[in-house]
Amino acid sequence: MPKFLRSRNWGGLLFLLGALVLAFTFRPWSTNAQTSSDWQSIAAERGLSEADMRAAMMTYTPSGMLDEYVMFASGGHGGQVLVIGLPSMRLLRTIAVFTPEPWQGYGYGVGEETLAGGFIDGQEITWGDTHHPALSETNGEYDGNWLFVGDKANARVAVIDLRDFETKQIVHNPLFLNDHGGTFVTQNSDYVIEGGAYGLPIASEYAPLADYQSSYRGMITFWRFDQAAGRIDYSQSFALELPPYWQDLCDSGKLVSDGWIFCNSFNTEMATGGIQAGNPPFEAGVSRNTTDYLHVINLNGAVSVFESGGAEMVNGFNLIRLETAIANNLLYFIPEPRSPHGVDIAPGGDYIVVSGKLDPHVTIYSFQRIMDAIAAGTSEFDPFGVPVLPLETTMEAQVELGLGPLHTQFDNQGYAYTSLFLDSAIARWSLGGEGYRPQDGWTLQGRIPVQYNVGHIAAAEGDTTSPDGRFLLALNKWSVDRFLSTGPLLPQNFQLIDISQPGDQLQVLYDMPITAAEPHYAQIIAASTLHAWDVYPEVGWDSQTQAVAADAVQPGTEGVTRDGNNVTVRMTVIRSHYNPEWVEIQEGDHVVWTITSLERARDATHGFGVPYYNINLSIEPGESITFEFDATRPGVFSWYCTEFCSALHLEMMGYLTIAPSR
Ligand code: CUK
Ligand code: CUA
């Protein structure tokens, strides 16, 4: 029998269920009252246990009721972000980020400039691998303004505006071509952190693998975020050169540790693989050492060095060299056990938790102890001259949790939660430090199986200085038998877990298949903190500048004008017509076409799909969009509205005629 059914709270719940049943049974005004036998027979017919019914009651969200939380989950190599309501686990929307997406018109008439910001040396890149979304913060709390997400594949960072849930900027550091420890924000979102991944020569120039130690490097980038502009300020951003270990995940200090950044690493062996030449494969070569290095980075110090001219301009980007970092006390290492993965800072900023994929423990470092060790100095250095602080004096505790610990989250009761990849379970353990659960010490409190092979976990407001508790999401890599088969490619499985009860009482509430590549991480924000617009604030809105567009079309000024081969189309749209409905041009014309939506009604979105020319817009109420194309193929092209916007939506079309040139 599951733990939950034996718990005291079950009695309370049964009472509540009973009371509900009674209330409904004896509602004199009701004409179709449910009886207790209905409840029981439905449960019996469907084979539902009492725990199942509790889970249903905790997640079921009747039509019209809104969710309490909004989760932003990365979409992995689908290159997008998924927006999911909690506790219902309803998919609310996807946000196209690194990958063109026709529903939003992203890459099909709008967003081209944003996507082009992420092209590298003119190379068009139309996919990304989103790993770690980060909500913007004010004083260590999510403020609901911005969302950042990194692209592991190409080392890029995107900025999403949470007023309209659209990607506004993509940046790329020209010094590096992969990342992983991103994105994470400082407690006031001054910097967006993008940690490196696999060692590479700087700027990805050629160097043979035989020269790995001398020519390859690691990297971390600090993107300066300009809140007023809502954009990353490229010129005020800088990178820090690191030894060619593989920087893995990072987290940003907060409160007492504000201004410090922590990244775990692996491959301090500096293995270069080469299975085909008889060398040990990467998986073995990279796991030889019993410890790798936790990177402790003094961001405030690095900002001072950068501002006083201590960075070099390399390939158009500011870089603080490793020697400069060491000389200015910007970088320290601490050993971390067995193939580390994940580094997570406790809500108070006072403890740093690191997991080891091949170690059944999590290792907890104390920020104060780290500061003391830095003050005390060290006589140990890594081969590149980086000071190495002792594990023994900086470590606060180790807790044995199970096999394959990866990522840790926190709640409001002094508990931490760690995913166990190999065990397919989540461990709940107590933080023994002051302000958490000193009465319990650093101990394992309970475990719950998940299906299967969990990677990250995300708790409600989990990365803030005041997590909410209540819900925890397991982002499971494998779903195996959880869903009907749809062929050999299986979805990932998101499982919602109730963490509101103490001790070992944990319950899986809901399974949600994720069919958009592999989400790695998610953050969960209280829905009340978000303030998305219902419609664009004014007619003629340019969603790129978030202001009225200078070229927005006023009603009554619609039309087609020509200047030589340059054609300007000025169009308005409102249910259920475009104006004009004919656009008659010549082969060889260059066309600049503006469409302004005059709609003010919520949800009155129109589309604009043109065959052959690969154009498809989503024109939301009030929005004004300008796109360009060359009329290379003559013919007649019927454009139409791709959103079913009214009873006469099918009539909402027009003709683009392109006469052949002679
Ligand atoms: S990583 Cu995916 S499970 Cu990219 Cu944060 Cu650990
Ligand atoms: Cu507008 Cu359909």
Side-chain angles (χ1 to χ4, degrees):
M1 186 191 263
K3 286 257 161 50
F4 171 75
L5 294 182
R6 283 190 258 121
S7 78
R8 255 173 295 135
N9 301 67
W10 188 231
L13 185 81
L14 273 182
F15 177 80
L16 186 73
L17 263 177
L20 267 173
V21 168
L22 278 177
F24 276 80
T25 308
F26 295 109
R27 269 192 318 176
W29 61 90
S30 176
T31 51
N32 58 345
Q34 300 285 301
T35 65
S36 60
S37 65
D38 287 336
W39 292 69
Q40 287 159 350
S41 59
I42 292 168
E45 258 169 49
R46 298 199 62 216
L48 302 179
S49 68
E50 287 167 335
D52 295 333
M53 290 171 74
R54 177 181 189 270
M57 284 175 68
M58 289 198 62
T59 54
Y60 176 66
T61 304
S63 182
M65 183 187 278
L66 303 182
D67 280 301
E68 276 184 79
Y69 288 98
V70 175
M71 172 163 66
F72 294 89
S74 61
H77 44 298
Q80 55 193 9
V81 166
L82 311 172
V83 185
I84 294 164
L86 261 58
S88 74
M89 301 292 276
R90 294 180 294 198
L91 176 65
L92 303 178
R93 127 158 235 188
T94 57
I95 303 173
V97 184
F98 297 109
T99 308
E101 199 285 314
W103 168 54
Q104 293 155 81
Y106 189 68
Y108 298 91
V110 290
E112 268 89 354
E113 242 176 80
T114 306
L115 279 163
F119 296 170
I120 299 175
D121 299 337
Q123 172 65 38
E124 200 170 303
I125 300 168
T126 55
W127 74 287
D129 187 3
T130 57
H131 270 233
H132 306 102
L135 287 156
S136 59
E137 295 180 14
T138 301
N139 299 325
E141 299 288 346
Y142 302 147
D143 56 27
N145 293 332
W146 309 97
L147 181 77
F148 309 96
V149 71
D151 164 24
K152 174 179 172 176
N154 301 289
R156 298 177 298 171
V157 166
V159 179
I160 295 159
D161 190 331
L162 293 180
R163 288 173 293 185
D164 61 0
F165 285 48
E166 284 186 358
T167 305
K168 303 303 179 191
Q169 185 184 24
I170 298 176
V171 291
H172 171 251
N173 164 357
L175 300 178
F176 227 60
L177 217 40
N178 64 58
D179 72 18
H180 188 234
T183 53
F184 299 89
V185 297
T186 52
Q187 67 180 13
N188 283 304
S189 304
D190 299 321
Y191 286 92
V192 181
I193 290 115
E194 181 195 19
Y198 309 117
L200 286 176
I202 285 180
S204 270
E205 282 178 3
Y206 174 75
L209 280 158
D211 298 347
Y212 187 83
Q213 293 203 27
S214 59
S215 299
Y216 286 55
R217 287 294 174 266
M219 183 135 323
I220 183 167
T221 307
F222 301 103
W223 294 104
R224 182 83 172 94
F225 185 60
D226 179 340
Q227 306 251 16
R231 295 291 185 276
I232 283 170
D233 184 343
Y234 195 85
S235 68
Q236 293 304 307
S237 303
F238 62 94
L240 193 66
E241 181 185 357
L242 298 170
Y245 313 139
W246 293 355
Q247 286 80 35
D248 189 27
L249 262 162
C250 302
D251 201 357
S252 171
K254 55 185 94 157
L255 302 178
V256 291
S257 55
D258 180 35
W260 291 82
I261 305 297
F262 305 87
C263 303
N264 76 290
S265 70
F266 59 123
N267 199 16
T268 48
E269 297 85 348
M270 293 185 277
T272 53
I275 196 171
Q276 75 293 339
N279 296 332
F282 273 116
E283 58 183 314
V286 160
S287 313
R288 264 196 334 263
N289 292 352
T290 51
T291 56
D292 291 286
Y293 290 132
L294 173 65
H295 293 37
V296 178
I297 298 167
N298 178 353
L299 173 57
N300 286 346
V303 171
S304 304
V305 168
F306 168 62
E307 285 176 349
S308 55
E312 273 175 45
M313 184 61 72
V314 179
N315 204 22
F317 201 75
N318 300 303
L319 176 67
I320 297 180
R321 291 289 187 180
L322 182 55
E323 310 84 75
T324 311
I326 295 168
N328 288 277
N329 306 318
L330 304 184
L331 179 63
Y332 301 90
F333 288 155
I334 310 177
E336 44 182 12
R338 302 270 2 175
S339 298
H341 189 59
V343 52
D344 294 283
I345 316 293
D350 37 9
Y351 296 108
I352 299 114
V353 180
V354 174
S355 295
K357 288 171 289 199
L358 303 181
D359 184 321
H361 299 88
V362 283
T363 301
I364 301 107
Y365 300 84
S366 144
F367 180 70
Q368 187 54 53
R369 287 168 179 273
I370 294 173
M371 291 299 108
D372 292 346
I374 290 174
T378 178
S379 53
E380 259 203 66
F381 299 89
D382 89 323
F384 295 85
V386 179
V388 179
L389 309 175
L391 171 63
E392 304 71 42
T393 59
T394 52
M395 187 181 88
E396 182 76 24
Q398 284 189 315
V399 186
E400 184 169 346
L401 301 178
L403 297 181
L406 295 185
H407 298 289
T408 298
Q409 285 277 281
F410 305 92
D411 70 7
N412 57 342
Q413 303 180 65
Y415 291 127
Y417 302 81
T418 300
S419 56
L420 302 171
F421 179 82
L422 296 175
D423 274 347
S424 288
I426 309 289
R428 169 190 260 177
W429 50 281
S430 54
L431 294 156
E434 212 42 57
Y436 299 97
R437 297 185 78 82
Q439 71 275 22
D440 291 332
W442 302 91
T443 54
L444 177 65
Q445 297 282 312
R447 284 167 42 125
I448 181 167
V450 290
Q451 288 75 29
Y452 301 90
N453 297 94
V454 57
H456 273 277
I457 50 179
E461 302 253 326
D463 287 308
T464 68
T465 52
S466 61
D468 281 9
R470 303 187 57 192
F471 298 113
L472 181 83
L473 188 91
L475 292 83
N476 302 314
K477 306 291 187 191
W478 291 52
S479 60
V480 190
D481 56 4
R482 292 294 106 169
F483 306 108
L484 289 174
S485 176
T486 53
L489 178 63
L490 271 63
Q492 285 72 42
N493 186 14
F494 275 10
Q495 285 182 308
L496 185 69
I497 299 169
D498 173 21
I499 57 167
S500 61
Q501 307 299 313
D504 64 352
Q505 301 168 60
L506 300 159
Q507 188 189 5
V508 170
L509 300 176
Y510 200 94
D511 281 35
M512 178 190 194
I514 297 291
T515 63
E518 180 195 333
H520 285 261
Y521 190 44
Q523 284 191 332
I524 302 169
I525 183 174
S528 57
T529 311
L530 291 168
H531 298 286
W533 289 326
D534 290 339
V535 298
Y536 280 111
E538 290 177 58
V539 165
W541 201 260
D542 177 344
S543 66
Q544 191 59 32
T545 59
Q546 300 290 36
V548 173
D551 66 355
V553 183
Q554 302 299 323
T557 69
E558 298 92 342
V560 181
T561 54
R562 166 179 296 281
D563 175 10
N565 277 343
N566 294 314
V567 170
T568 303
V569 180
R570 315 251 319 139
M571 176 179 273
T572 57
V573 57
I574 192 162
R575 278 161 292 169
S576 297
H577 58 268
Y578 301 93
N579 182 11
E581 290 182 332
W582 304 338
V583 172
E584 298 166 285
I585 61 173
Q586 302 285 320
E587 180 183 358
D589 285 345
H590 178 74
V591 184
V592 177
W593 193 317
T594 301
I595 307 181
T596 301
S597 168
L598 306 179
E599 296 284 359
R600 301 312 291 147
R602 194 176 182 191
D603 205 9
T605 295
H606 298 286
F608 182 77
V610 186
Y612 180 80
Y613 282 100
N614 204 36
I615 292 163
N616 183 42
L617 312 181
S618 169
I619 315 159
E620 288 123 47
E623 191 172 16
S624 187
I625 296 172
T626 298
F627 63 95
E628 300 184 26
F629 72 101
D630 289 310
T632 50
R633 183 198 187 281
V636 176
F637 306 87
S638 50
W639 80 71
Y640 73 104
C641 176
T642 42
E643 285 270 336
F644 210 111
C645 53
S646 72
L648 298 177
H649 149 83
L650 289 172
E651 288 75 359
M652 194 166 174
M653 64 84 66
Y655 284 107
L656 166 67
T657 64
I658 304 178
S661 58
R662 272 175 288 150

